[in-house]
Amino acid sequence: MKAPHRSQSDEHSSVNGLPLLYQTIYCSRATAGVDEAAVANIIAAARRMNPVLGVTGLLVCGSGVFFQWIEGPRDNVMQLMDRIRADPRHEHVVTLSETEESRERLFPQWDMELVSASEIRDVLIDALDDTEDEKNTASLSLILAHLEAGGIAELGAVA
């Protein structure tokens, strides 16, 4: 099992010793003019700030759509989501899932990883293979089923 990512403002442990993590999955439409350089700036800022906030996750960008999985302490993730909603590079931010539970981090080594839409299925399958946490297994299985059913069709359309 991978060791959980730790930072100055990390989450509290629960009774079972696993961290209490808040997780948000959202998608949004990129505004006009968001190009590879703008996405690179988003990733660079996330890699600077997320370790301090105890936040990990992944960002998929393709066909003018952002899809992001963010996990960490509740207050920090909620503040990050407020900044994303106010960011002029995003419009129509839709929260797909929010949970708070004691579990291992799904992406413990990723302060914020940019994943191409064509690679998201492989990344999710790798995460499913690596996790030992039943809650993560259930979440990943649900997202993979949704992806394979075409529920995230715009993301899968990117070459």
Side-chain angles (χ1 to χ4, degrees):
M1 178 190 305
K2 296 175 185 174
H5 177 82
R6 296 286 175 208
S7 74
Q8 293 176 348
S9 60
D10 214 358
E11 61 279 343
H12 301 287
S13 291
S14 67
V15 175
N16 65 5
L18 291 173
L20 183 62
L21 293 171
Y22 187 75
Q23 164 193 302
T24 296
I25 302 169
Y26 79 89
C27 65
S28 67
R29 171 93 32 216
T31 56
V34 172
D35 57 11
E36 287 183 30
V39 174
N41 288 338
I42 291 170
I43 293 297
R47 288 182 175 157
R48 276 191 317 273
M49 293 304 302
N50 288 357
V52 175
L53 299 173
V55 172
T56 57
L58 68 85
L59 173 66
V60 180
C61 185
S63 296
V65 174
F66 290 109
F67 172 85
Q68 190 165 17
W69 179 303
I70 305 168
E71 59 189 6
R74 175 188 267 281
D75 290 346
N76 296 355
V77 171
M78 292 177 78
Q79 289 172 7
L80 178 56
M81 284 304 300
D82 288 344
R83 287 195 303 273
I84 289 167
R85 285 185 189 94
D87 188 324
R89 297 170 291 194
H90 295 266
E91 61 185 7
H92 308 295
V93 177
V94 176
T95 300
L96 303 173
S97 172
E98 291 179 299
T99 58
E100 186 171 40
E101 57 196 0
S102 295
R103 63 171 175 79
E104 67 182 15
R105 281 184 183 266
L106 192 55
F107 302 103
Q109 306 304 319
W110 291 5
D111 295 327
M112 188 52 58
E113 188 70 22
L114 178 63
V115 176
S116 71
S118 62
E119 297 172 323
I120 187 60
R121 184 176 184 281
D122 293 336
V123 168
L124 294 175
I125 288 172
D126 286 347
L128 184 60
D129 290 343
D130 289 344
T131 191
E132 295 177 16
D133 188 291
E134 291 177 15
K135 293 175 182 176
N136 283 350
T137 299
S139 293
L140 287 166
S141 296
L142 185 63
I143 292 171
L144 277 166
H146 189 67
L147 182 67
E148 290 174 2
I152 311 175
E154 288 188 38
L155 296 175
V158 177

